[in-house]
Protein backbone atom coordinates (compact mmCIF):
# COMPACT_ATOMS: atom_id res chain seq x y z
CA UNK A 1 0.00 0.00 0.00
CA UNK A 2 1.27 3.52 -0.75
CA UNK A 3 2.43 5.63 2.19
CA UNK A 4 0.22 8.57 1.17
CA UNK A 5 -3.39 8.72 0.12
CA UNK A 6 -2.89 12.10 -1.57
CA UNK A 7 0.14 14.02 -2.82
CA UNK A 8 -0.55 17.72 -3.46
CA UNK A 9 1.28 20.29 -5.54
CA UNK A 10 0.48 23.99 -5.42
CA UNK A 11 1.18 27.46 -4.15
CA UNK A 12 2.09 28.27 -0.56
CA UNK A 13 0.20 31.39 0.48
CA UNK A 14 -0.53 32.97 3.83
CA UNK A 15 -4.12 34.22 3.75
CA UNK A 16 -5.58 37.37 5.29
CA UNK A 17 -9.36 37.62 5.03
CA UNK A 18 -11.20 40.94 5.25
CA UNK A 19 -14.85 41.95 4.96
CA UNK A 20 -15.52 44.67 2.37
CA UNK A 21 -18.48 46.02 0.40
CA UNK A 22 -19.07 46.21 -3.34
CA UNK A 23 -18.33 49.93 -3.34
CA UNK A 24 -14.81 49.29 -2.12
CA UNK A 25 -14.17 46.78 -4.91
CA UNK A 26 -15.39 49.28 -7.49
CA UNK A 27 -13.39 52.15 -6.04
CA UNK A 28 -10.26 50.00 -5.89
CA UNK A 29 -10.86 48.72 -9.43
CA UNK A 30 -10.95 45.09 -8.29
CA UNK A 31 -12.84 42.55 -10.40
CA UNK A 32 -15.31 40.84 -8.09
CA UNK A 33 -15.39 37.07 -7.65
CA UNK A 34 -12.07 36.29 -9.33
CA UNK A 35 -8.49 35.62 -8.31
CA UNK A 36 -6.22 38.41 -9.57
CA UNK A 37 -2.43 38.31 -9.43
CA UNK A 38 -0.84 41.50 -8.09
CA UNK A 39 2.64 42.65 -7.19
CA UNK A 40 3.69 43.28 -3.61
CA UNK A 41 3.31 47.07 -3.82
CA UNK A 42 -0.29 46.77 -5.02
CA UNK A 43 -1.09 44.39 -2.18
CA UNK A 44 0.42 46.81 0.36
CA UNK A 45 -1.65 49.60 -1.18
CA UNK A 46 -4.85 47.59 -0.69
CA UNK A 47 -3.92 46.64 2.87
CA UNK A 48 -3.35 50.30 3.69
CA UNK A 49 -6.84 51.13 2.40
CA UNK A 50 -8.28 48.26 4.45
CA UNK A 51 -6.35 48.86 7.65
CA UNK A 52 -9.46 49.74 9.68
CA UNK A 53 -11.64 46.94 8.31
CA UNK A 54 -12.50 43.85 10.29
CA UNK A 55 -10.17 40.94 9.78
CA UNK A 56 -12.69 38.11 9.85
CA UNK A 57 -10.36 35.18 10.35
CA UNK A 58 -6.95 34.44 11.75
CA UNK A 59 -3.90 34.16 9.54
CA UNK A 60 -3.82 30.71 7.96
CA UNK A 61 -1.70 28.76 5.52
CA UNK A 62 -3.51 28.72 2.23
CA UNK A 63 -3.37 28.23 -1.48
CA UNK A 64 -6.04 26.19 -3.20
CA UNK A 65 -4.38 22.77 -3.17
CA UNK A 66 -3.04 23.42 0.33
CA UNK A 67 -6.57 23.92 1.64
CA UNK A 68 -7.67 20.68 -0.05
CA UNK A 69 -4.73 18.67 1.26
CA UNK A 70 -5.24 19.95 4.81
CA UNK A 71 -8.94 19.06 4.63
CA UNK A 72 -8.13 15.54 3.41
CA UNK A 73 -5.63 15.17 6.25
CA UNK A 74 -8.09 16.32 8.92
CA UNK A 75 -10.65 13.82 7.61
CA UNK A 76 -8.07 11.07 8.04
CA UNK A 77 -6.05 10.81 4.84
CA UNK A 78 -2.27 10.60 4.95
CA UNK A 79 -1.06 13.51 2.83
CA UNK A 80 2.07 15.17 1.49
CA UNK A 81 2.30 18.71 0.07
CA UNK A 82 5.00 20.10 -2.20
CA UNK A 83 5.28 23.88 -2.39
CA UNK A 84 7.82 26.69 -2.06
CA UNK A 85 8.24 29.10 0.87
CA UNK A 86 10.86 31.69 1.75
CA UNK A 87 13.11 32.08 4.77
CA UNK A 88 10.78 34.55 6.44
CA UNK A 89 8.17 34.62 9.21
CA UNK A 90 5.35 33.62 6.87
CA UNK A 91 7.40 30.73 5.52
CA UNK A 92 8.00 29.40 9.03
CA UNK A 93 4.33 29.89 9.87
CA UNK A 94 3.22 28.04 6.74
CA UNK A 95 5.39 25.00 7.42
CA UNK A 96 4.31 24.88 11.08
CA UNK A 97 0.65 25.12 10.06
CA UNK A 98 1.03 22.18 7.67
CA UNK A 99 2.71 20.13 10.40
CA UNK A 100 -0.08 20.95 12.86
CA UNK A 101 -2.59 19.65 10.32
CA UNK A 102 -0.71 16.36 9.98
CA UNK A 103 0.57 17.04 6.47
CA UNK A 104 4.10 15.98 5.53
CA UNK A 105 6.27 18.33 3.45
CA UNK A 106 9.91 19.15 2.73
CA UNK A 107 10.47 20.95 6.02
CA UNK A 108 14.04 22.06 5.27
CA UNK A 109 13.24 23.51 1.84
CA UNK A 110 13.23 27.30 2.34
CA UNK A 111 14.48 29.89 -0.12
CA UNK A 112 15.57 33.51 -0.36
CA UNK A 113 12.67 35.79 -1.18
CA UNK A 114 9.16 36.45 0.14
CA UNK A 115 6.52 33.85 0.95
CA UNK A 116 3.34 34.31 -1.07
CA UNK A 117 0.37 36.18 0.40
CA UNK A 118 -3.31 36.26 -0.51
CA UNK A 119 -5.73 39.03 0.42
CA UNK A 120 -9.24 37.55 0.48
CA UNK A 121 -12.04 40.12 0.37
CA UNK A 122 -15.52 38.95 1.35
CA UNK A 123 -18.60 40.98 0.31
CA UNK A 124 -21.99 40.82 2.09
CA UNK A 125 -23.31 38.34 -0.51
CA UNK A 126 -20.60 35.87 0.68
CA UNK A 127 -18.66 36.12 -2.60
CA UNK A 128 -14.89 35.93 -2.25
CA UNK A 129 -12.50 38.06 -4.31
CA UNK A 130 -8.79 37.35 -4.10
CA UNK A 131 -5.74 39.48 -4.81
CA UNK A 132 -2.68 37.27 -4.69
CA UNK A 133 1.00 38.10 -4.51
CA UNK A 134 2.68 34.79 -5.33
CA UNK A 135 6.12 35.74 -4.05
CA UNK A 136 8.45 32.74 -4.04
CA UNK A 137 5.56 30.48 -5.14
CA UNK A 138 5.86 31.97 -8.61
CA UNK A 139 9.18 30.15 -8.96
CA UNK A 140 7.81 26.72 -7.99
CA UNK A 141 9.50 24.44 -10.50
CA UNK A 142 9.96 20.78 -11.49
CA UNK A 143 12.89 20.61 -9.04
CA UNK A 144 10.43 21.20 -6.18
CA UNK A 145 8.41 18.07 -6.96
CA UNK A 146 9.13 15.36 -4.40
CA UNK A 147 9.28 12.35 -6.71
CA UNK A 148 9.56 9.73 -3.97
CA UNK A 149 6.50 11.02 -2.11
CA UNK A 150 4.56 11.35 -5.36
CA UNK A 151 5.35 7.80 -6.45
CA UNK A 152 4.40 6.56 -2.98
CA UNK A 153 0.88 8.02 -3.18
CA UNK A 154 -2.51 6.80 -4.32
CA UNK A 155 -3.51 10.14 -5.88
CA UNK A 156 -1.62 13.19 -7.15
CA UNK A 157 -3.63 16.41 -6.84
CA UNK A 158 -2.56 19.49 -8.83
CA UNK A 159 -4.05 22.97 -8.60
CA UNK A 160 -4.92 24.75 -11.82
CA UNK A 161 -3.54 28.05 -10.51
CA UNK A 162 -0.04 26.75 -11.30
CA UNK A 163 -0.78 27.54 -14.94
CA UNK A 164 0.01 31.24 -14.33
CA UNK A 165 3.71 30.52 -13.81
CA UNK A 166 5.88 29.00 -16.54
CA UNK A 167 7.90 27.01 -14.03
CA UNK A 168 4.79 26.11 -12.02
CA UNK A 169 3.11 24.79 -15.14
CA UNK A 170 6.22 22.72 -15.89
CA UNK A 171 6.11 21.32 -12.34
CA UNK A 172 2.45 20.38 -12.81
CA UNK A 173 3.17 18.62 -16.09
CA UNK A 174 6.13 16.77 -14.58
CA UNK A 175 3.98 15.63 -11.64
CA UNK A 176 1.25 14.34 -13.95
CA UNK A 177 3.78 12.48 -16.10
CA UNK A 178 5.52 10.88 -13.09
CA UNK A 179 2.15 9.85 -11.69
CA UNK A 180 1.07 8.31 -15.00
CA UNK A 181 4.34 6.38 -15.27
CA UNK A 182 4.09 5.18 -11.66
CA UNK A 183 0.44 4.06 -11.63
CA UNK A 184 -0.59 6.99 -9.41
CA UNK A 185 -4.03 8.43 -10.20
CA UNK A 186 -4.11 12.07 -11.29
CA UNK A 187 -6.53 14.79 -10.20
CA UNK A 188 -6.55 18.45 -11.21
CA UNK A 189 -8.72 21.47 -10.43
CA UNK A 190 -9.50 24.19 -12.97
CA UNK A 191 -9.34 26.54 -9.95
CA UNK A 192 -10.97 29.73 -11.24
CA UNK A 193 -12.98 31.01 -14.24
CA UNK A 194 -10.15 33.42 -14.95
CA UNK A 195 -7.70 30.54 -15.35
CA UNK A 196 -10.01 28.93 -17.92
CA UNK A 197 -10.50 32.19 -19.81
CA UNK A 198 -6.93 33.42 -19.93
CA UNK A 199 -4.76 30.30 -19.62
CA UNK A 200 -6.61 27.67 -21.67
CA UNK A 201 -3.57 26.45 -23.60
CA UNK A 202 -1.52 26.06 -20.44
CA UNK A 203 -4.28 24.14 -18.70
CA UNK A 204 -4.53 21.87 -21.75
CA UNK A 205 -0.82 21.12 -21.41
CA UNK A 206 -1.28 20.34 -17.71
CA UNK A 207 -4.21 18.00 -18.42
CA UNK A 208 -2.37 16.27 -21.28
CA UNK A 209 -4.32 13.37 -22.74
CA UNK A 210 -6.71 13.47 -19.79
CA UNK A 211 -6.47 13.24 -16.01
CA UNK A 212 -8.20 10.60 -13.92
CA UNK A 213 -10.31 13.19 -12.07
CA UNK A 214 -11.11 16.81 -12.90
CA UNK A 215 -12.63 19.23 -10.38
CA UNK A 216 -14.42 22.41 -11.48
CA UNK A 217 -17.42 24.58 -10.69
CA UNK A 218 -20.26 25.37 -13.07
CA UNK A 219 -18.70 28.54 -14.52
CA UNK A 220 -15.38 26.81 -15.10
CA UNK A 221 -17.09 23.81 -16.72
CA UNK A 222 -19.11 25.99 -19.11
CA UNK A 223 -16.05 28.07 -20.00
CA UNK A 224 -13.77 25.08 -20.45
CA UNK A 225 -16.18 23.20 -22.72
CA UNK A 226 -17.64 26.26 -24.51
CA UNK A 227 -21.16 25.09 -23.73
CA UNK A 228 -24.31 26.79 -22.44
CA UNK A 229 -25.73 24.17 -20.06
CA UNK A 230 -24.31 21.97 -17.33
CA UNK A 231 -25.64 18.89 -19.10
CA UNK A 232 -23.75 19.77 -22.28
CA UNK A 233 -20.65 20.61 -20.27
CA UNK A 234 -20.77 17.26 -18.47
CA UNK A 235 -20.98 15.43 -21.79
CA UNK A 236 -18.05 17.40 -23.23
CA UNK A 237 -15.98 16.98 -20.06
CA UNK A 238 -15.61 13.26 -20.78
CA UNK A 239 -13.05 14.18 -23.44
CA UNK A 240 -10.74 15.70 -20.84
CA UNK A 241 -10.98 13.36 -17.86
CA UNK A 242 -11.83 9.78 -17.02
CA UNK A 243 -14.01 11.10 -14.20
CA UNK A 244 -15.02 14.52 -12.92
CA UNK A 245 -16.96 16.53 -10.37
CA UNK A 246 -18.77 19.75 -11.28
CA UNK A 247 -19.82 21.71 -8.19
CA UNK A 248 -23.09 23.66 -8.36
CA UNK A 249 -23.06 25.57 -5.07
CA UNK A 250 -26.25 25.05 -3.08
CA UNK A 251 -27.53 22.76 -5.86
CA UNK A 252 -24.91 20.15 -5.05
CA UNK A 253 -22.68 18.54 -7.64
CA UNK A 254 -22.68 16.44 -10.78
CA UNK A 255 -20.20 13.58 -10.66
CA UNK A 256 -19.09 11.10 -13.31
CA UNK A 257 -17.24 8.00 -12.14
CA UNK A 258 -16.26 6.82 -15.61
CA UNK A 259 -19.53 5.03 -16.22
CA UNK A 260 -22.44 6.79 -14.54
CA UNK A 261 -23.36 10.47 -14.33
CA UNK A 262 -25.03 11.35 -11.01
CA UNK A 263 -26.50 14.57 -9.62
CA UNK A 264 -25.95 14.67 -5.86
CA UNK A 265 -28.13 17.13 -3.96
CA UNK A 266 -26.46 19.89 -2.02
CA UNK A 267 -26.51 20.42 1.73
CA UNK A 268 -28.38 23.41 3.12
CA UNK A 269 -26.30 26.29 4.46
CA UNK A 270 -26.52 30.00 5.16
CA UNK A 271 -23.49 31.20 3.25
CA UNK A 272 -21.49 34.07 4.70
CA UNK A 273 -18.12 33.33 3.04
CA UNK A 274 -17.65 31.17 -0.07
CA UNK A 275 -13.85 31.26 0.19
CA UNK A 276 -12.53 27.71 0.24
CA UNK A 277 -15.75 25.93 -0.74
CA UNK A 278 -14.26 24.32 -3.84
CA UNK A 279 -11.03 23.48 -2.03
CA UNK A 280 -12.96 21.82 0.78
CA UNK A 281 -15.07 19.86 -1.73
CA UNK A 282 -11.95 18.48 -3.43
CA UNK A 283 -10.25 17.56 -0.15
CA UNK A 284 -13.30 15.78 1.23
CA UNK A 285 -13.92 14.05 -2.09
CA UNK A 286 -10.36 12.72 -2.34
CA UNK A 287 -10.47 11.54 1.27
CA UNK A 288 -13.68 9.64 0.59
CA UNK A 289 -12.40 8.02 -2.61
CA UNK A 290 -9.23 6.84 -0.87
CA UNK A 291 -11.32 5.32 1.91
CA UNK A 292 -13.54 3.08 -0.17
CA UNK A 293 -16.48 5.37 -0.91
CA UNK A 294 -18.22 5.66 -4.27
CA UNK A 295 -18.37 8.88 -6.27
CA UNK A 296 -21.92 9.72 -5.11
CA UNK A 297 -20.94 8.97 -1.51
CA UNK A 298 -17.82 11.11 -1.86
CA UNK A 299 -19.91 13.95 -3.30
CA UNK A 300 -22.38 13.78 -0.42
CA UNK A 301 -19.58 14.17 2.14
CA UNK A 302 -17.94 16.88 0.03
CA UNK A 303 -21.21 18.81 -0.30
CA UNK A 304 -21.76 18.66 3.46
CA UNK A 305 -18.19 19.82 4.12
CA UNK A 306 -18.46 22.68 1.63
CA UNK A 307 -21.79 23.76 3.13
CA UNK A 308 -20.20 23.84 6.56
CA UNK A 309 -17.20 25.89 5.42
CA UNK A 310 -19.29 28.57 3.66
CA UNK A 311 -21.37 29.05 6.81
CA UNK A 312 -18.38 30.51 8.67
CA UNK A 313 -15.43 32.76 7.91
CA UNK A 314 -12.23 31.29 6.55
CA UNK A 315 -11.42 28.58 3.98
CA UNK A 316 -10.96 25.75 6.47
CA UNK A 317 -12.81 23.87 9.18
CA UNK A 318 -11.46 23.11 12.63
CA UNK A 319 -10.21 19.59 13.23
CA UNK A 320 -13.24 18.59 15.30
CA UNK A 321 -15.63 19.77 12.58
CA UNK A 322 -14.22 17.19 10.19
CA UNK A 323 -14.89 14.48 12.77
CA UNK A 324 -18.47 15.70 13.20
CA UNK A 325 -19.08 15.36 9.45
CA UNK A 326 -17.88 11.75 9.54
CA UNK A 327 -20.00 10.84 12.55
Amino acid sequence: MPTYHVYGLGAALVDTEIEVNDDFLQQANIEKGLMTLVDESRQHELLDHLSEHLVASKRASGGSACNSIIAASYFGAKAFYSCKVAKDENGDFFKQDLKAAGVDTDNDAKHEGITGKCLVMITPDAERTMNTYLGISETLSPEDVNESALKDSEWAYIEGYLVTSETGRAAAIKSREIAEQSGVKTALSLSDPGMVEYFRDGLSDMIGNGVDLLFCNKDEALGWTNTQTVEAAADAMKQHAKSFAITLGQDGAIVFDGETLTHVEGASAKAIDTNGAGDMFAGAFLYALTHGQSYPEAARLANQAAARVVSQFGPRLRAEQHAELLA
Side-chain angles (χ1 to χ4, degrees), residues 7 142 145-152 174 178:
Y7 170 91
V145 175
N146 189 307
E147 292 192 32
S148 61
L150 172 54
K151 291 177 180 178
D152 199 16
K174 176 182 178 180
I178 292 172

Side-chain angles (χ1 to χ4, degrees), residues 117-192:
K117 296 172 284 187
C118 182
L119 177 61
V120 185
M121 292 159 282
I122 308 299
T123 41
D125 60 358
E127 183 69 82
R128 92 311 179 243
T129 301
M130 297 181 291
N131 272 212
T132 301
Y133 170 60
L134 287 174
I136 197 75
S137 280
E138 190 173 7
T139 67
L140 183 75
S141 70
E143 288 70 37
D144 298 304
V145 175
N146 189 307
E147 292 192 32
S148 61
L150 172 54
K151 291 177 180 178
D152 199 16
S153 300
E154 187 175 340
W155 281 89
Y157 179 61
I158 302 164
E159 69 174 49
Y161 285 125
L162 291 177
V163 73
T164 64
S165 159
E166 184 175 343
T167 57
R169 185 168 64 253
I173 293 169
K174 176 182 178 180
S175 296
R176 173 181 53 76
E177 292 175 343
I178 292 172
E180 291 170 345
Q181 295 163 6
S182 306
V184 177
K185 295 176 183 177
T186 56
L188 183 140
S189 68
L190 292 182
S191 293
D192 187 274

Side-chain angles (χ1 to χ4, degrees), residues 51-62:
S51 59
E52 296 183 0
H53 282 62
L54 170 68
V55 177
S57 64
K58 294 180 180 179
R59 182 175 63 164
S61 58

Side-chain angles (χ1 to χ4, degrees), residues 32-89:
K32 182 178 177 179
L34 296 181
M35 190 285 286
T36 302
L37 294 177
V38 297
D39 59 23
E40 190 179 20
S41 63
R42 169 62 170 165
Q43 198 173 65
H44 278 308
E45 176 189 338
L46 291 172
L47 284 170
D48 286 342
H49 286 310
L50 292 165
S51 59
E52 296 183 0
H53 282 62
L54 170 68
V55 177
S57 64
K58 294 180 180 179
R59 182 175 63 164
S61 58
S64 178
C66 173
N67 289 333
S68 298
I69 292 300
I70 285 177
S73 179
Y74 273 135
F75 275 119
K78 185 64 176 172
F80 191 102
Y81 191 58
S82 282
C83 57
K84 200 163 188 176
V85 301
K87 297 176 182 177
D88 56 15
E89 181 189 357

Side-chain angles (χ1 to χ4, degrees), residues 221 225 227 229-241 244 246 254 256 261:
T225 59
T227 55
T229 67
V230 175
E231 292 76 16
D235 188 55
M237 198 71 75
K238 297 173 185 177
Q239 302 172 26
H240 306 282
F244 56 79
I246 303 174
I254 292 175
F256 178 65
L261 190 70

